[in-house]
Amino acid sequence: MKRALITGITGQDGSYLAEFLLSKGYEVHGIIRRGSTFNTRRIDHLIEENKLILYHGDMIDSSNLNRVLEKARPDEIYNLAAQSHVKVSFEIPEYTAEVDALGVLRLLDAIKERRIKVKVYQASTSELFGNVAETPQKETTPFYPRSPYAAAKLYAYWVINNYREAYNIFACNGILFNHESPRRGETFVTRKITMAIASILAKRQEFMCLGNLNARRDWGFAPEYVEFMWKMMQNKKPEDLVVGTGESHSVKEFVEEAFSYVGLDWKKYVKVDKKYFRPTEVDRLVADPAEAGKKLGWSPKIRFSALVRIMIDADMRAKGLEPIGEGDKILKRTFRNKWWRGD
């Protein structure tokens, strides 16, 4: 039985990845940060069923990482731990660098010093491309990070490459474009929109405030992207690959699609507030996933409008409302043998 260690297992991607790896017969270990309150709701069903082996730890504690590696003895490590909110990274840049940049170095150095034979997946990001040099963005597109988060992730990207070449470690970067789901963090714009709509429908909220409506992103469905992570680790040699849908949509388009789905005029409920703008904006990100398709046979099934419907149906249900149901139908039609828990 293969053993996998997931850092950031309590997050959106970590929870889906844990479910996916369990479906593949893995023994799944995870690192969670110790706090005064538990933040394990995305994996509580797996904890209750005793399907996970969990450790308290943090990417800023190298001695702890060493102890976890000794106990878990993983065949594969998926490093998903991060301070992942771009705007927040401007407010806590030093902590963002400690976790997102130096945390990766600590992990790799622990592997090197212990001479552990293990594969490492690093969760990289489309934010590396920032002020883009070309559209769409692919593996050879130059990087131009525009936030402390992106700069920290750029360090992590190159230190993965360095340890791969210097110490022959199987280490790869998945340059994933935005991927969403009903488990997306509530401060991220897509989930903020779908939750607000559900609250408006439930008469618990009157309007919502957003930042830059013109920012364009490549949005995919998170469960499909964690399968891609696993596929990268089954590759014969470690490579850095771009993954996305190849489609670009603005925040405004997401708003229009979401409000239209529930039969509301978005202009009556959405206000633009400058406090939600970033100090430096990334205007347009869209992937060229050709290499991922050619080398790993991966392609997304869920597209933009389907993603919006899936998320709204889930948030309506969470607010005690009867979902419209199109999103649920799409899931059933697209994934007949769904491996993740229904949201």
Side-chain angles (χ1 to χ4, degrees):
M1 178 185 290
K2 281 188 177 181
R3 290 186 297 275
L5 174 65
I6 303 172
T7 69
I9 195 170
T10 60
Q12 169 189 253
D13 291 3
S15 64
Y16 284 128
L17 180 61
E19 289 170 342
F20 178 80
L21 293 176
L22 287 168
S23 78
K24 291 287 184 183
Y26 280 66
E27 181 179 282
V28 177
H29 300 244
I31 298 177
I32 59 174
R33 280 180 296 177
R34 181 72 177 94
S36 58
T37 59
F38 287 103
N39 184 28
T40 59
R41 58 183 175 79
R42 295 184 181 97
I43 57 170
D44 279 344
H45 60 294
L46 300 178
I47 295 173
E48 290 167 4
E49 296 167 5
N50 293 315
K51 290 185 175 181
L52 302 174
I53 301 167
L54 298 176
Y55 312 88
H56 287 116
D58 199 301
M59 297 301 289
I60 66 173
D61 186 345
S62 56
S63 62
N64 176 262
L65 287 174
N66 273 283
R67 286 194 295 272
V68 171
L69 288 175
E70 183 177 350
K71 291 178 180 178
R73 295 177 291 112
D75 300 295
E76 298 173 1
I77 298 173
Y78 295 84
N79 183 37
L80 311 184
Q83 190 301 101
S84 58
H85 199 287
V86 176
K87 188 174 186 303
V88 170
S89 76
F90 286 96
E91 299 165 12
I92 50 171
E94 185 177 342
Y95 177 75
T96 300
E98 280 285 351
V99 175
D100 297 9
L102 294 180
V104 181
L105 176 65
R106 293 183 186 102
L107 178 63
L108 290 170
D109 212 50
I111 292 167
K112 175 183 75 81
E113 290 300 309
R114 289 185 163 275
R115 298 181 181 179
I116 300 169
K117 188 172 178 58
V118 64
K119 294 181 176 182
V120 181
Y121 170 87
Q122 166 62 17
S124 196
T125 171
S126 59
E127 291 285 334
L128 294 180
F129 298 116
N131 191 13
V132 298
E134 63 180 356
T135 299
Q137 294 86 53
K138 54 190 176 184
E139 288 78 7
T140 56
T141 301
F143 299 133
Y144 192 148
R146 298 267 286 172
S147 67
Y149 166 75
K153 284 289 191 175
L154 182 60
Y155 178 94
Y157 174 91
W158 283 119
V159 82
I160 284 283
N161 274 264
N162 180 252
Y163 272 65
R164 181 168 71 208
E165 295 170 5
Y167 304 111
N168 197 32
I169 295 173
F170 188 111
C172 57
N173 289 288
I175 307 175
L176 272 58
F177 282 62
N178 294 59
H179 44 288
E180 321 296 314
S181 76
R183 296 185 194 173
R184 186 57 144 152
E186 296 174 5
T187 59
F188 289 85
V189 67
T190 53
R191 188 77 194 288
K192 183 178 177 180
I193 293 166
T194 60
M195 284 185 62
I197 288 173
S199 293
I200 288 167
L201 291 171
K203 308 297 183 186
R204 301 178 193 174
Q205 188 171 329
E206 294 182 0
F207 63 90
M208 66 179 302
C209 294
L210 295 173
N212 182 9
L213 297 182
N214 296 317
R216 301 184 68 86
R217 295 293 184 268
D218 183 331
W219 281 301
F221 188 46
E224 295 191 274
Y225 285 49
V226 301
E227 184 174 3
F228 174 81
M229 297 175 190
W230 176 79
K231 281 180 172 286
M232 283 190 71
M233 296 283 263
Q234 312 317 306
N235 214 356
K236 290 183 179 179
K237 64 177 184 176
E239 294 183 87
D240 305 323
L241 292 172
V242 163
V243 67
T245 68
E247 297 178 9
S248 178
H249 297 274
S250 67
V251 175
K252 182 180 177 181
E253 287 177 69
F254 196 103
V255 168
E256 290 172 336
E257 186 76 28
F259 276 89
S260 174
Y261 180 52
V262 299
L264 296 177
D265 180 359
W266 71 273
K267 294 177 183 177
K268 295 179 180 179
Y269 301 97
V270 176
K271 298 180 180 181
V272 174
D273 190 330
K274 291 279 178 83
K275 77 177 182 181
Y276 294 110
F277 280 65
R278 301 180 187 178
T280 48
E281 185 56 82
V282 173
D283 296 318
R284 186 184 184 192
L285 296 174
V286 58
D288 177 357
E291 282 295 299
K294 182 172 70 175
K295 294 184 175 178
L296 299 181
W298 184 91
S299 62
K301 299 181 180 69
I302 297 297
R303 298 291 180 168
F304 178 68
S305 62
L307 173 65
V308 174
R309 285 160 170 71
I310 290 167
M311 292 180 68
I312 290 180
D313 276 0
D315 276 328
M316 288 180 69
R317 191 179 296 109
K319 295 292 183 183
L321 302 171
E322 183 68 27
I324 294 170
E326 286 300 315
D328 295 337
K329 290 177 183 176
I330 290 166
L331 281 177
K332 289 178 181 178
R333 184 168 64 245
T334 308
F335 302 100
R336 297 187 185 279
N337 298 309
K338 187 171 67 174
W339 48 261
W340 70 89
R341 184 180 68 91
D343 293 291

